[in-house]
Amino acid sequence: MPGEGAHTLLECRRRSAALRALGYDFEQIADLFSVCHDASPLRVHRYAYGFTAAEAAARYNDLDPAGTAALRESRLYEFEHWPQRGMRPTAHTIALFARGYRTAARRLVSDQVYASYTVRDRDLIDRTDHRPLPAHRPAGVPVRPVGHATMDGEAARPAFPAPAAKECAALLRALGAEEADVKRRDLLFELALALGGTPALVLLRHLSPPEQDRLAVAVRATARVDGATVEVIEKLAARCRRLDDDFGPAKVLPTVAGQRALVTDLLRRETLLPGLRHRLVRAYAELSQLAGWLHHDLLDHAGARSRYREGLAAAHEIRDPTLIAYLHTCLANMARFQGQGGEALDHIYAAQGWATHSPSPLFRSLHAVDLARILAMNGDAAGSERALSRSLLLAGQPRHEADPAYLYWWTAHGVERHTASCMLALRRPDEAIASAERALTGPMRKPARGGTLLRYAGALIQKREIPGATEKIREAARITVAHSSGRLTDSVRQSHARLRPWTDNKHVQALDEELRALRLIPARP
């Protein structure tokens, strides 16, 4: 492969094969390579096909209808390097290349080169389009060929979209900076694509090379699933929960969907020993719960409800009372957030029935605090206080071996921040402020801290302490910039709306300006 870096072409060839396996077409791959490589459109389309210059020239010569083409490698390089150096290809040449690469001729020339042609030549370039008809051409970002379905065998639903070209380029740059071994870099690229993109690298770093190899075997479906492979999947699922703290739901959801699709595929295609199947179904249920939580955090309540119910069906299959109760609690919380008090009570009491069979004190603490919030929303102060006391007592106990790993985040500080929510709903602002202050002294995840600040602000608004309220809302709003929580953004807007009676207050006006700068409220008309 004289005249170009053989390493670059071989790397592009491998990348192209991995991307095509995920459903990308050659145009999408060329778009990705145009971000990764400083090369002309003509060259990146050749890279997308993985052709050497000799192969591309032979393909071109074979396509000339007159049989007179005699394109040499050296001339191809000149065409590809134009306008920095070399020679500009004719419009007819570009049209013939478009036929060879099954694309539109306009895609093979930059704006600068296009402008250098005559009007007649530009017309030829504009009219030449050898792409498949729109009805047969994939639109936008491709979808993974592996779908996901409920555990009862329903028809597969579309999987989460595979990463777009810019995200793939970011993934390649990250791998180039972190991984020197070419083969290992290719493997990580393949795994990260299958698991949703760049955020998946954080997960893959926690796997040893042998574990990465086992995961690749599962992704490629080239061998049977064994206990060690299931252990790798369980390890990834457990780690995935912590990604939301750093990346937010918008970036983490594709990674969770990728893992969930992989587990679904393994359950469908494999005849597993009962113990391995049980473990994979548990992983599916936990990933479904996490996916539901992320959908809910993005205000996609229909998607959240679907994932929660699929997780619930899987939890019933393995008869896990803690996980069943947890999923009912999640459904109750979503109904409470939507103001559906009756449905929230139905789910929280269903969870209570299963919680009595749960061996986990930590989960019973979480259930009790969620019960307290729903009772407070419905005006039951005495019932809410009893549930809060029980939750705090259970949260203060030492961790139990039966406590599930997915509740790693739940602590006594969580009880305090939810106590603030209950007191706010019951219009007891002083107690809400005291609980919020205690909660804020401890560590918590970004959206949880933002929510606690907003409850603090709500209590201050009830007391008509507007300067302090605006400062708390401002702190919460700044958290939204670094996190994609739709619920937190929505809560910031709701808290800001409660300040309407004080629109002339200078502190409120200053907050308005900052929220406009953060694009959390509309600009002035």
Side-chain angles (χ1 to χ4, degrees):
M1 288 171 267
E4 67 181 318
H7 171 77
T8 299
L9 180 59
L10 291 173
E11 184 180 74
C12 288
R13 188 177 288 170
R14 292 192 301 268
R15 301 283 190 239
S16 181
L19 289 163
R20 290 200 309 277
L22 286 171
Y24 284 79
D25 62 30
F26 287 107
E27 285 194 350
Q28 292 163 336
I29 295 169
D31 289 339
L32 165 61
F33 289 170
S34 70
V35 178
C36 302
H37 300 283
D38 183 16
S40 67
L42 196 58
R43 175 165 284 199
V44 296
H45 277 78
R46 176 162 67 85
Y47 283 170
Y49 279 86
F51 290 158
T52 63
E55 290 169 337
R59 187 183 182 97
Y60 176 94
N61 293 333
D62 290 343
L63 290 171
D64 189 333
T68 59
L71 180 66
R72 301 184 305 277
E73 292 179 52
S74 58
R75 183 56 54 86
L76 173 59
Y77 289 134
E78 290 181 342
F79 290 162
E80 290 180 342
H81 284 299
W82 180 261
Q84 282 71 32
R85 62 181 187 274
M87 176 184 295
R88 189 187 71 172
T90 66
H92 172 75
T93 298
I94 292 296
L96 205 56
F97 272 121
R99 184 181 172 193
Y101 294 140
R102 300 198 69 194
T103 189
R106 183 63 182 87
R107 287 180 52 86
L108 298 180
V109 291
S110 66
D111 292 341
Q112 179 184 2
V113 173
Y114 178 77
S116 70
Y117 288 103
T118 65
V119 173
R120 183 176 180 179
D121 286 344
R122 288 201 297 268
D123 180 62
L124 173 61
I125 292 172
D126 290 335
R127 286 187 292 104
T128 303
D129 190 343
H130 292 284
R131 293 175 293 183
L133 294 174
H136 303 94
R137 188 165 70 231
V141 179
V143 171
R144 289 190 187 86
V146 177
H148 57 75
T150 55
M151 298 302 296
D152 58 4
E154 292 181 8
R157 297 177 175 85
F160 208 90
K166 288 187 178 179
E167 188 174 352
C168 286
L171 175 59
L172 286 172
R173 286 193 292 269
L175 285 169
E178 297 176 11
E179 182 58 60
D181 185 88
V182 174
K183 290 185 178 179
R184 185 59 51 181
R185 191 188 307 160
D186 287 343
L187 177 66
L188 290 173
F189 180 68
E190 178 185 356
L191 293 178
L193 280 180
L195 297 179
T198 306
L201 283 181
V202 179
L203 294 176
L204 295 172
R205 290 190 194 107
H206 292 285
L207 300 182
S208 65
E211 288 174 328
Q212 292 170 3
D213 292 335
R214 285 188 175 278
L215 184 62
V217 168
V219 168
R220 296 167 183 160
T222 54
R224 294 186 62 81
V225 173
D226 57 14
T229 304
V230 174
E231 186 175 348
V232 172
I233 292 170
E234 291 169 336
K235 183 176 180 179
L236 279 181
R239 286 282 181 184
C240 198
R241 292 184 173 274
R242 300 176 187 266
L243 287 183
D244 184 35
D245 301 345
D246 297 321
F247 292 97
K251 287 189 176 181
V252 176
L253 185 54
T255 300
V256 175
Q259 290 186 63
R260 189 171 176 272
L262 172 62
V263 173
T264 301
D265 191 51
L266 294 176
L267 287 167
R268 281 180 178 165
R269 75 175 189 238
E270 296 281 353
T271 302
L272 300 164
L273 293 173
L276 291 182
R277 179 175 176 80
H278 184 97
R279 289 166 63 185
L280 277 178
V281 172
R282 182 186 300 279
Y284 173 90
E286 292 186 11
L287 286 167
S288 296
Q289 181 277 324
L290 179 55
W293 171 266
L294 296 171
H295 277 288
H296 174 37
D297 204 17
L298 292 170
L299 302 180
D300 175 15
H301 298 129
R305 187 173 289 106
S306 179
R307 298 290 87 79
Y308 283 150
R309 287 176 175 172
E310 289 164 356
L312 193 57
H316 275 288
E317 181 178 325
I318 59 174
R319 301 178 183 178
D320 184 330
T322 303
L323 193 49
I324 293 170
Y326 187 33
L327 282 153
H328 274 296
T329 300
C330 291
L331 285 161
N333 270 324
M334 187 169 67
R336 177 191 54 77
F337 179 83
Q338 294 177 283
Q340 300 169 353
E343 184 178 341
L345 284 170
D346 288 344
H347 280 295
I348 203 66
Y349 283 128
Q352 188 170 25
W354 285 100
T356 59
H357 301 288
S358 170
S360 168
L362 193 66
F363 171 73
R364 292 197 296 274
S365 169
L366 178 64
H367 171 267
V369 86
D370 287 323
L371 173 63
R373 296 178 73 189
I374 294 169
L375 292 175
M377 182 183 76
N378 286 279
D380 184 353
S384 180
E385 288 176 346
R386 286 194 299 271
L388 286 171
S389 296
R390 175 172 171 75
S391 178
L392 190 59
L393 178 66
L394 290 168
Q397 294 182 10
R399 292 275 171 160
H400 191 277
E401 62 180 7
D403 291 335
Y406 51 77
L407 295 184
Y408 71 93
W409 50 274
W410 184 245
T411 66
H413 280 98
V415 182
E416 292 288 1
R417 64 186 174 86
H418 289 310
T419 299
S421 178
C422 294
M423 296 302 105
L424 184 62
L426 295 169
R427 301 195 67 81
R428 290 154 60 173
D430 289 328
E431 293 171 78
I433 289 170
S435 293
E437 287 178 342
R438 287 192 295 269
L440 289 169
T441 61
M444 65 179 78
R445 297 173 296 170
K446 290 177 183 177
R449 180 168 293 276
T452 305
L453 289 165
L454 292 175
R455 294 178 191 117
Y456 199 152
L460 291 171
I461 292 172
Q462 288 184 1
K463 291 170 64 69
R464 296 177 180 269
E465 296 180 11
I466 305 307
T470 58
E471 183 55 37
K472 300 304 177 187
I473 295 173
R474 181 179 289 108
E475 289 183 51
R478 290 170 181 169
I479 292 175
T480 66
V481 176
H483 200 277
S484 57
S485 171
R487 282 186 297 158
L488 180 58
T489 300
D490 185 67
S491 297
V492 168
R493 290 170 179 153
Q494 290 183 25
S495 297
H496 172 259
R498 296 188 185 103
L499 295 172
R500 284 173 186 160
W502 298 276
T503 53
D504 294 333
N505 184 290
K506 66 178 184 180
H507 299 284
V508 175
Q509 291 174 350
L511 176 65
D512 289 351
E513 292 303 318
E514 182 158 351
L515 295 184
R516 289 190 186 97
L518 296 174
R519 298 183 179 180
L520 294 177
I521 61 174
R524 292 183 184 276

